[in-house]
Amino acid sequence: MIARTILNVDDYAPGRYARTKVLTQAGFEVKEAGTGREALRLAMEWHPQLVVLDVNLPDINGLEVCQRLKENPLTSAIVVLHLTASKVLPDDMVRGLNSGADSYLSEPVEPGVLVATIRALLRARQAEEALRRSNDELQHFAYMVSHELNEPLRMITAYTQLLARKYAGHIDATADEYIEHTLKNANRLHGFVQDVLNFSRATAPERNFGNVSLESVLATALYELQLPVAESGAVITNDPMPAVFGNEMRLVRVFANLIGNAIKYRGAEAPRIHIGVEEHDDFWLFSFRDNGIGIERQYWDTIFQVFKRLHGKDVPGSGIGLALCKRVIENHGGTIWLESELGQGSTFFFTIPAGR
Ligand code: ADP
């Protein structure tokens, strides 16, 4: 079995030695640090699974050490167990946990309690990692399947189109009907595979974030939607769009899905869509308002789940668009929700943190 590694951080040497002894006897591999700086260096170089972190350190305070460990993607997965002196106030505990610590113990700690707490924390982290790995695998699986299906499907659609162009009306009515069915279903499947592919791409863990102009995000989304906009006679207006910290390609998917839906789920009138922006203290609030068919209140949450659709085969779609929007917005540190009145229209809102 691989040894479980612990970084034991305390400026009080006798206490630190005693703790190392207890942990080593319990089967852990232990290294020691007497200062915050030393702790950060060892965490970066050695990557222990857990840090037992004394809060009162002479150089960098333990709370700040914890915060820095959690902010750094290279060390953020390390479990932090804060240890403090005997007279702890509830406020200190709150501050410790708010700095990102996974748990908190106050001295004196019974050796048995320390070891059992560490084992419990590592068990929880192991379960979390297993879940993350299986999630990543599933995501990769969905990507590979849709990627592999995409090309042959594109060929099937293209050849059926050729077949229709060359032979429709030249064989007989049944043949025309078969060609039409094949083409319709190939197009449907192609659309579905594209949606799954977009979903896997837009929700993969990669975080290529930067300064993104939402003016240009909107322009790209509208360029993609030229055809449905023209066909439906949609009138789309917008407030001036700010720049935000984010991923351009993923935000284009959000804009394209929300505007595309406002067109797809239109009522009897031509779609009128307004994209609004409000600046708040530390976030932007975006709204996509339409005059479409509306959504009953009981579905306001469920439609953000993958494959949840309220409309059948009459409207093309795979129920993936809003699930994608939710993942992307949450990855940007925001939230997404909607308000709607049946028969009147819907407004989808989302926030994105400002000033990052
Ligand atoms: P899809 O459009 O592929 O079905 P989505 O995840 O984008 O998938 O949307 C899920 C469901 O939510 C849609 O099937 C539709 O019933 C409903 N919906 C989404 N946007 C709107 C809207 N603007 N107006 C009315 N209904 C909508």
Side-chain angles (χ1 to χ4, degrees), residues 261-262 264-265 290 293-295 303 308-311 317-322 346 348:
N261 279 349
K264 270 200 305 190
Y265 303 106
D290 66 47
I293 55 179
I295 300 161
I303 53 169
K308 286 284 189 260
R309 306 195 65 211
L310 306 181
H311 299 90
S318 45
I320 287 177
L322 289 178
S346 313
F348 284 81

Side-chain angles (χ1 to χ4, degrees), residues 195 257-266 288-296 299 302-312 315-325 338 340 342 345-348:
D195 283 351
N257 271 300
L258 293 179
I259 301 169
N261 279 349
I263 297 173
K264 270 200 305 190
Y265 303 106
R266 61 179 175 271
F288 288 62
R289 190 180 70 227
D290 66 47
N291 60 336
I293 55 179
I295 300 161
E296 275 180 83
Y299 301 117
T302 46
I303 53 169
F304 288 101
Q305 293 169 16
V306 193
F307 302 134
K308 286 284 189 260
R309 306 195 65 211
L310 306 181
H311 299 90
V315 187
S318 45
I320 287 177
L322 289 178
L324 178 152
C325 294
L338 76 110
S340 177
L342 210 56
S346 313
T347 307
F348 284 81

